[in-house]
mmCIF file of all heavy atoms in Angstrom:
data_model
loop_
_atom_site.group_PDB
_atom_site.id
_atom_site.type_symbol
_atom_site.label_atom_id
_atom_site.label_comp_id
_atom_site.label_asym_id
_atom_site.label_seq_id
_atom_site.Cartn_x
_atom_site.Cartn_y
_atom_site.Cartn_z
ATOM 1 N N ASN A 242 -9.604 -17.294 -139.515
ATOM 2 C CA ASN A 242 -9.044 -15.940 -139.487
ATOM 3 C C ASN A 242 -10.101 -14.845 -139.465
ATOM 4 O O ASN A 242 -9.850 -13.734 -139.010
ATOM 5 C CB ASN A 242 -8.145 -15.717 -140.710
ATOM 6 C CG ASN A 242 -6.883 -16.552 -140.638
ATOM 7 O OD1 ASN A 242 -6.389 -16.828 -139.541
ATOM 8 N ND2 ASN A 242 -6.368 -16.973 -141.778
ATOM 9 N N PHE A 276 -7.144 -31.980 -130.261
ATOM 10 C CA PHE A 276 -8.487 -31.395 -130.291
ATOM 11 C C PHE A 276 -9.546 -32.482 -130.182
ATOM 12 O O PHE A 276 -10.492 -32.366 -129.392
ATOM 13 C CB PHE A 276 -8.708 -30.596 -131.572
ATOM 14 C CG PHE A 276 -10.113 -30.060 -131.698
ATOM 15 C CD1 PHE A 276 -10.448 -28.820 -131.169
ATOM 16 C CD2 PHE A 276 -11.122 -30.801 -132.315
ATOM 17 C CE1 PHE A 276 -11.755 -28.331 -131.257
ATOM 18 C CE2 PHE A 276 -12.426 -30.329 -132.405
ATOM 19 C CZ PHE A 276 -12.730 -29.087 -131.878
ATOM 20 N N ALA A 302 -45.231 -49.268 -125.779
ATOM 21 C CA ALA A 302 -46.560 -48.796 -126.195
ATOM 22 C C ALA A 302 -47.353 -49.904 -126.874
ATOM 23 O O ALA A 302 -48.559 -50.041 -126.680
ATOM 24 C CB ALA A 302 -46.425 -47.603 -127.136
ATOM 25 N N ASP A 312 -35.100 -35.403 -125.447
ATOM 26 C CA ASP A 312 -33.957 -35.135 -126.319
ATOM 27 C C ASP A 312 -33.441 -36.442 -126.911
ATOM 28 O O ASP A 312 -32.953 -37.310 -126.191
ATOM 29 C CB ASP A 312 -32.872 -34.438 -125.476
ATOM 30 C CG ASP A 312 -31.610 -34.130 -126.250
ATOM 31 O OD1 ASP A 312 -31.514 -34.472 -127.440
ATOM 32 O OD2 ASP A 312 -30.699 -33.536 -125.644
ATOM 33 N N ALA A 343 -28.862 -30.350 -133.508
ATOM 34 C CA ALA A 343 -28.695 -30.955 -132.180
ATOM 35 C C ALA A 343 -27.840 -32.218 -132.241
ATOM 36 O O ALA A 343 -26.949 -32.430 -131.409
ATOM 37 C CB ALA A 343 -30.061 -31.266 -131.572
ATOM 38 N N GLU A 367 -28.364 -36.019 -151.641
ATOM 39 C CA GLU A 367 -29.098 -37.182 -151.146
ATOM 40 C C GLU A 367 -30.560 -37.105 -151.573
ATOM 41 O O GLU A 367 -31.242 -36.097 -151.337
ATOM 42 C CB GLU A 367 -29.006 -37.240 -149.616
ATOM 43 C CG GLU A 367 -29.712 -38.428 -148.979
ATOM 44 C CD GLU A 367 -29.037 -39.761 -149.261
ATOM 45 O OE1 GLU A 367 -27.984 -39.791 -149.935
ATOM 46 O OE2 GLU A 367 -29.571 -40.771 -148.797
ATOM 47 N N LEU A 413 -35.501 -48.386 -141.617
ATOM 48 C CA LEU A 413 -35.714 -49.721 -141.048
ATOM 49 C C LEU A 413 -34.905 -50.771 -141.811
ATOM 50 O O LEU A 413 -34.272 -51.645 -141.201
ATOM 51 C CB LEU A 413 -37.205 -50.066 -141.078
ATOM 52 C CG LEU A 413 -38.100 -49.253 -140.139
ATOM 53 C CD1 LEU A 413 -39.560 -49.396 -140.551
ATOM 54 C CD2 LEU A 413 -37.901 -49.676 -138.692
ATOM 55 N N THR A 448 -46.282 -47.278 -141.395
ATOM 56 C CA THR A 448 -45.123 -47.833 -142.096
ATOM 57 C C THR A 448 -44.342 -48.779 -141.195
ATOM 58 O O THR A 448 -43.919 -49.856 -141.625
ATOM 59 C CB THR A 448 -44.203 -46.701 -142.598
ATOM 60 O OG1 THR A 448 -44.954 -45.797 -143.420
ATOM 61 C CG2 THR A 448 -43.045 -47.253 -143.402
ATOM 62 N N GLN A 477 -52.247 -41.357 -128.854
ATOM 63 C CA GLN A 477 -53.567 -41.762 -129.338
ATOM 64 C C GLN A 477 -53.454 -42.822 -130.429
ATOM 65 O O GLN A 477 -54.233 -43.791 -130.450
ATOM 66 C CB GLN A 477 -54.333 -40.551 -129.854
ATOM 67 C CG GLN A 477 -54.776 -39.595 -128.741
ATOM 68 C CD GLN A 477 -55.482 -38.365 -129.257
ATOM 69 O OE1 GLN A 477 -55.861 -38.311 -130.428
ATOM 70 N NE2 GLN A 477 -55.646 -37.376 -128.413
ATOM 71 N N LEU A 479 -51.152 -45.030 -130.816
ATOM 72 C CA LEU A 479 -50.599 -46.283 -130.335
ATOM 73 C C LEU A 479 -51.447 -46.926 -129.245
ATOM 74 O O LEU A 479 -51.141 -48.049 -128.817
ATOM 75 C CB LEU A 479 -49.174 -46.055 -129.806
ATOM 76 C CG LEU A 479 -48.145 -45.676 -130.871
ATOM 77 C CD1 LEU A 479 -46.844 -45.233 -130.230
ATOM 78 C CD2 LEU A 479 -47.904 -46.808 -131.836
#
Side-chain angles (χ1 to χ4, degrees):
N242 291 329
F276 176 89
D312 179 358
E367 181 69 2
L413 291 163
T448 304
Q477 290 178 13
L479 293 170

